[in-house]
Short mmCIF file of all heavy atoms in Angstrom, two decimals:
data_model
loop_
_atom_site.label_atom_id
_atom_site.label_comp_id
_atom_site.label_asym_id
_atom_site.label_seq_id
_atom_site.Cartn_x
_atom_site.Cartn_y
_atom_site.Cartn_z
N ILE A 37 -5.98 18.44 -10.73
CA ILE A 37 -6.64 19.72 -10.48
C ILE A 37 -7.25 20.19 -11.80
O ILE A 37 -6.54 20.62 -12.66
CB ILE A 37 -5.64 20.75 -9.86
CG1 ILE A 37 -4.88 20.19 -8.72
CG2 ILE A 37 -6.41 22.03 -9.46
CD1 ILE A 37 -3.92 21.18 -8.06
N GLY A 38 -8.60 20.15 -11.76
CA GLY A 38 -9.31 20.67 -12.97
C GLY A 38 -9.99 19.43 -13.70
O GLY A 38 -9.28 18.61 -14.29
N ALA A 39 -11.31 19.48 -13.71
CA ALA A 39 -12.06 18.40 -14.46
C ALA A 39 -12.56 18.94 -15.81
O ALA A 39 -13.73 18.97 -16.08
CB ALA A 39 -13.20 17.88 -13.65
N GLY A 40 -11.58 19.35 -16.64
CA GLY A 40 -11.90 19.80 -17.97
C GLY A 40 -11.52 18.77 -19.03
O GLY A 40 -11.40 17.54 -18.63
N SER A 41 -11.28 19.17 -20.26
CA SER A 41 -11.02 18.24 -21.32
C SER A 41 -9.74 17.31 -20.96
O SER A 41 -9.91 16.11 -21.11
CB SER A 41 -10.62 19.02 -22.58
OG SER A 41 -11.77 19.88 -22.87
N GLY A 42 -8.66 17.90 -20.56
CA GLY A 42 -7.50 17.15 -20.27
C GLY A 42 -7.58 16.37 -18.99
O GLY A 42 -7.14 15.20 -18.93
N GLY A 43 -8.14 17.00 -17.94
CA GLY A 43 -8.23 16.34 -16.66
C GLY A 43 -9.09 15.13 -16.62
O GLY A 43 -8.74 14.02 -16.11
N VAL A 44 -10.27 15.24 -17.30
CA VAL A 44 -11.20 14.09 -17.25
C VAL A 44 -10.60 12.90 -18.04
O VAL A 44 -10.63 11.85 -17.57
CB VAL A 44 -12.59 14.62 -17.86
CG1 VAL A 44 -13.48 13.32 -18.01
CG2 VAL A 44 -13.27 15.53 -16.83
N ARG A 45 -10.02 13.19 -19.14
CA ARG A 45 -9.39 12.10 -20.00
C ARG A 45 -8.32 11.44 -19.15
O ARG A 45 -8.21 10.24 -19.09
CB ARG A 45 -8.92 12.64 -21.32
CG ARG A 45 -8.20 11.57 -22.12
CD ARG A 45 -8.97 10.33 -22.44
NE ARG A 45 -10.13 10.61 -23.35
CZ ARG A 45 -10.00 10.46 -24.63
NH1 ARG A 45 -8.94 10.09 -25.26
NH2 ARG A 45 -11.02 10.78 -25.47
N ALA A 46 -7.49 12.23 -18.58
CA ALA A 46 -6.33 11.68 -17.88
C ALA A 46 -6.82 10.83 -16.68
O ALA A 46 -6.29 9.75 -16.40
CB ALA A 46 -5.42 12.84 -17.31
N SER A 47 -7.96 11.29 -16.02
CA SER A 47 -8.40 10.60 -14.89
C SER A 47 -8.94 9.18 -15.22
O SER A 47 -8.61 8.22 -14.65
CB SER A 47 -9.54 11.35 -14.12
OG SER A 47 -10.71 11.35 -14.89
N ARG A 48 -9.66 9.18 -16.35
CA ARG A 48 -10.29 7.98 -16.84
C ARG A 48 -9.23 6.92 -17.23
O ARG A 48 -9.26 5.76 -16.88
CB ARG A 48 -11.22 8.33 -18.03
CG ARG A 48 -11.87 7.21 -18.62
CD ARG A 48 -13.06 7.74 -19.50
NE ARG A 48 -12.68 8.27 -20.77
CZ ARG A 48 -12.28 7.59 -21.81
NH1 ARG A 48 -12.08 6.29 -21.65
NH2 ARG A 48 -11.92 8.12 -22.95
N ILE A 49 -8.24 7.43 -17.95
CA ILE A 49 -7.20 6.47 -18.47
C ILE A 49 -6.28 5.98 -17.34
O ILE A 49 -5.98 4.78 -17.15
CB ILE A 49 -6.37 7.17 -19.55
CG1 ILE A 49 -7.28 7.59 -20.77
CG2 ILE A 49 -5.26 6.18 -20.14
CD1 ILE A 49 -8.14 6.51 -21.39
N ALA A 50 -5.91 6.95 -16.44
CA ALA A 50 -5.03 6.51 -15.31
C ALA A 50 -5.79 5.48 -14.53
O ALA A 50 -5.14 4.46 -14.07
CB ALA A 50 -4.70 7.75 -14.44
N SER A 51 -7.09 5.69 -14.27
CA SER A 51 -7.84 4.73 -13.52
C SER A 51 -7.90 3.36 -14.20
O SER A 51 -7.77 2.33 -13.56
CB SER A 51 -9.26 5.24 -13.27
OG SER A 51 -10.03 4.38 -12.58
N SER A 52 -8.06 3.41 -15.51
CA SER A 52 -8.10 2.06 -16.28
C SER A 52 -6.73 1.35 -16.15
O SER A 52 -6.68 0.15 -16.40
CB SER A 52 -8.47 2.34 -17.75
OG SER A 52 -7.38 2.88 -18.44
N HIS A 53 -5.70 2.11 -15.89
CA HIS A 53 -4.35 1.48 -15.70
C HIS A 53 -4.18 1.04 -14.24
O HIS A 53 -3.07 0.65 -13.84
CB HIS A 53 -3.28 2.48 -16.06
CG HIS A 53 -3.12 2.74 -17.58
ND1 HIS A 53 -3.12 1.71 -18.50
CD2 HIS A 53 -3.07 3.91 -18.25
CE1 HIS A 53 -3.02 2.28 -19.74
NE2 HIS A 53 -2.99 3.56 -19.57
N GLY A 54 -5.15 1.19 -13.45
CA GLY A 54 -5.18 0.77 -12.05
C GLY A 54 -4.79 1.77 -10.99
O GLY A 54 -4.59 1.35 -9.82
N ALA A 55 -4.67 3.04 -11.45
CA ALA A 55 -4.33 4.06 -10.42
C ALA A 55 -5.46 4.47 -9.56
O ALA A 55 -6.66 4.39 -10.01
CB ALA A 55 -3.72 5.27 -11.15
N ARG A 56 -5.23 4.88 -8.34
CA ARG A 56 -6.32 5.41 -7.48
C ARG A 56 -6.27 6.93 -7.76
O ARG A 56 -5.32 7.62 -7.46
CB ARG A 56 -6.02 5.11 -5.99
CG ARG A 56 -6.10 3.65 -5.69
CD ARG A 56 -5.56 3.35 -4.30
NE ARG A 56 -4.26 3.95 -4.13
CZ ARG A 56 -3.84 4.64 -3.08
NH1 ARG A 56 -4.62 4.88 -2.12
NH2 ARG A 56 -2.60 5.14 -3.03
N VAL A 57 -7.41 7.44 -8.31
CA VAL A 57 -7.41 8.75 -8.79
C VAL A 57 -8.48 9.64 -8.18
O VAL A 57 -9.60 9.16 -7.93
CB VAL A 57 -7.65 8.73 -10.39
CG1 VAL A 57 -7.57 10.18 -10.94
CG2 VAL A 57 -6.75 7.83 -11.08
#
Side-chain angles (χ1 to χ4, degrees):
I37 309 182
S41 305
V44 169
R45 174 59 68 94
S47 71
R48 180 164 77 69
I49 302 302
S51 176
S52 76
H53 290 311
R56 293 170 307 133
V57 185

